[in-house]
Amino acid sequence: AEPGRCAHFVQRKGRFCRMIPAPGRRFCGEHGQEEEQNDRKRIPCPFDAKHTVYEDQLQKHLKKCNSREKPKPVYFVQDINAGLKDVAEIAEKQVPLSSLSIEELQNLIIKLKKASNGLELHLKEQILSHRALQEALNDPKNGESAFKHLKQQASILGNMEKLHLLGPGRCFIEFGAGRGKLSHWVDVALQNVENVQFLLVERATTRFKVDGKHKRRDSIFERLQVDIQHLCLNKVPILEKNKLPVVGIGKHLCGAATDLALRCLVESYTTCCAGENEEPAAKRSRTTETEVAPNTSADNRSSTEDCKPVVGIVIALCCHHKCDWIHYVGREFFRSVGLGPVEFHYFQRMSSWATCGMQETTNKASASEEQTHDTEEHGQTFSRTESGSDTLPGILTVEERKEVGCLCKRLIDHGRIEYLQQQGYKAALQYYIEAAVSLENVLLTAVPSPSLITKPAI
């Protein structure tokens, strides 16, 4: 063993334990039972059997064990943004696409094209940039992957600026924040702007976070480690205290997480603020006006001012194959065109053909490159079995699969657009980056309709 290290040899790893024992001891606490003069017994922890604890210190350990169930934060409300409560509506048996006959598949495609008839399928390109990222974009030290991420973040900020969402007196909520890079660049873009705060929502613990490195005193970064499904924004202390208008943002918010975030922002958040007998959209419009109108007197302000408005939503969409009918916000739209949970199940599976449908027929190098891009963007991708079972080689050509996959994505996204419109928002879809940079290159934007957001002075 190395000097000052535990003398226990770990057979599984083929090396000595690297923990530092207490002064005068040869073994660390985990392997203290091997100490000849140590007659204290170690037992597995009741919370997690992967580690042990001295039996006579069990009660003390249970109070501080990292594996213990932690108390829920005040903003945790079980399934507040989950959506569908009646699970009986979900199809009981959902078979893979590869089990469908050619006739069944053709019928699905006919339904898809019929439901998509009349929809805006050709999105406009709105590839923008922002001065805050120019220095980073011109840095030769950045590799290809970092450069692609920077281009996407620059375009997202450019679209936010075009919607007048980058200004003072805002709370930016980044859903699926990960390391918090998008919030970081928003903060850089607002370096001379006062009264700005950031909430970074991420259910998992994340390494190499960038939000902790911010030294600005006039901006606040706070992490909410909670699943979006259970996040009640009304109970977040910093929102209750400062009452700032909210801007929801996200970069590659996978599948159902987008639906949960939309419901969290424009439905459960506003509805909980509003009175039971008042329409949320009307409530939001009046509140937005009182928040942003510079000359409104305090005496004339509505008593609904405490209902913080959501003044903008900017989310880069991805991973439609991860959507779920239970959480999907566009169920009403699907029903209006004669579709239900069964069709949704197949369409969300077929949506992967837009980005993964070419893997069975392209060469290995191209497939490997596509999967690498997908992994970089989303941290997850189809397994080989999952992809192979859904691509149906020999039944549809590569171009046909790609076309059907794109059609499925647009249909699912249109349901989200209609949902936002019903909630009183002006929503749109656009290509915010080239497909060569990211295959998932569609940006969802929404502002209150009619827009009452004034252009900020930066």
Side-chain angles (χ1 to χ4, degrees), residues 115-179:
S116 304
N117 187 31
L119 302 184
E120 182 58 49
L121 302 177
H122 301 287
L123 308 182
K124 66 176 181 179
E125 284 193 356
Q126 197 153 284
I127 302 173
L128 306 176
S129 189
H130 196 278
R131 57 190 175 277
L133 289 93
Q134 289 308 307
E135 183 178 348
L137 285 168
N138 296 325
D139 189 349
K141 296 181 181 179
N142 286 320
E144 182 181 2
S145 175
F147 181 70
K148 289 182 176 182
H149 283 290
L150 287 169
K151 286 196 69 174
Q152 294 173 70
Q153 290 154 347
S155 185
I156 292 174
L157 261 67
N159 277 275
M160 292 176 66
E161 186 173 50
K162 186 173 183 178
L163 293 171
H164 311 308
L165 297 177
L166 294 178
R170 296 281 190 271
C171 176
F172 295 89
I173 305 179
E174 182 179 358
F175 293 91
R179 295 172 59 190

Side-chain angles (χ1 to χ4, degrees), residues 348-395:
Q348 54 101 199
R349 300 300 303 169
M350 292 156 65
S351 70
S352 66
W353 295 353
T355 54
C356 303
M358 297 167 280
Q359 291 179 1
E360 295 294 326
T361 53
T362 52
N363 59 59
K364 293 183 179 179
S366 298
S368 175
E369 183 180 1
E370 287 176 16
Q371 284 200 343
T372 300
H373 291 169
D374 191 57
T375 301
E376 289 173 356
E377 296 297 344
H378 323 297
Q380 56 189 343
T381 184
F382 269 133
S383 66
R384 184 173 300 176
T385 303
E386 193 175 20
S387 177
S389 66
D390 278 350
T391 52
L392 299 171
I395 298 178

Side-chain angles (χ1 to χ4, degrees), residues 9 55 62 82 84 88 95-96 101 116 126 154 168 174 192 223 241 246 253 285 297 321 361:
F9 187 79
E55 188 175 26
L62 294 179
L84 188 63
V95 298
S101 66
S116 304
Q126 197 153 284
E174 182 179 358
N192 298 320
R223 277 194 174 257
K241 178 182 178 181
V246 164
L253 194 56
S285 298
S297 67
H321 64 275
T361 53

Side-chain angles (χ1 to χ4, degrees), residues 146-332:
F147 181 70
K148 289 182 176 182
H149 283 290
L150 287 169
K151 286 196 69 174
Q152 294 173 70
Q153 290 154 347
S155 185
I156 292 174
L157 261 67
N159 277 275
M160 292 176 66
E161 186 173 50
K162 186 173 183 178
L163 293 171
H164 311 308
L165 297 177
L166 294 178
R170 296 281 190 271
C171 176
F172 295 89
I173 305 179
E174 182 179 358
F175 293 91
R179 295 172 59 190
K181 280 291 189 71
L182 183 56
S183 291
H184 163 77
W185 288 115
V186 173
D187 185 58
V188 172
L190 299 175
Q191 56 184 339
N192 298 320
V193 176
E194 298 180 351
N195 197 18
V196 176
Q197 62 191 36
F198 295 87
L199 292 177
L200 281 68
V201 182
E202 179 60 62
R203 65 181 179 183
T205 55
T206 307
R207 300 178 65 190
F208 310 117
K209 297 184 287 289
V210 299
D211 43 296
K213 300 179 181 179
H214 289 267
K215 298 180 180 180
R216 288 183 53 202
R217 296 181 179 179
D218 52 347
S219 64
I220 301 172
F221 276 77
E222 182 176 326
R223 277 194 174 257
L224 306 179
Q225 188 175 340
V226 63
D227 194 310
I228 305 171
Q229 181 172 334
H230 313 301
L231 172 60
C232 179
L233 291 177
N234 300 305
K235 297 186 177 182
V236 176
I238 197 170
L239 284 177
E240 287 185 315
K241 178 182 178 181
N242 295 337
K243 300 180 175 60
L244 293 180
V246 164
V247 179
I249 60 176
K251 177 175 176 287
H252 293 291
L253 194 56
C254 292
T258 294
D259 299 299
L260 294 172
L262 293 179
R263 191 175 284 109
C264 176
L265 286 167
V266 306
E267 188 174 338
S268 59
Y269 182 39
T270 306
T271 302
C272 289
C273 289
E276 294 183 0
N277 299 323
E278 188 169 7
E279 290 295 329
K283 182 82 169 183
R284 178 168 50 250
S285 298
R286 288 199 299 275
T287 308
T288 306
E289 189 174 11
T290 59
E291 289 285 354
V292 301
N295 299 320
T296 304
S297 67
D299 295 336
N300 294 331
R301 288 181 181 177
S302 169
S303 61
T304 64
E305 183 178 2
D306 289 339
C307 180
K308 287 76 64 180
V310 177
V311 296
I313 299 171
V314 180
I315 296 176
L317 305 172
C318 82
C319 297
H320 294 72
H321 64 275
K322 295 287 186 182
C323 291
D324 193 314
W325 178 257
I326 295 177
H327 305 310
Y328 181 51
V329 297
R331 292 192 303 268
E332 185 175 334

Side-chain angles (χ1 to χ4, degrees), residues 89-100:
E89 187 178 341
I90 306 303
E92 295 182 2
K93 187 177 181 181
Q94 298 173 337
V95 298
L97 287 171
S98 55
S99 300
L100 297 178

Side-chain angles (χ1 to χ4, degrees), residues 56-74:
D56 57 1
Q57 290 188 340
L58 177 61
Q59 295 305 318
K60 180 180 178 181
H61 171 80
L62 294 179
K63 295 179 181 179
K64 61 180 182 179
C65 178
N66 288 331
S67 298
R68 73 190 186 281
E69 184 178 358
K70 298 176 178 62
K72 297 291 189 294
V74 66

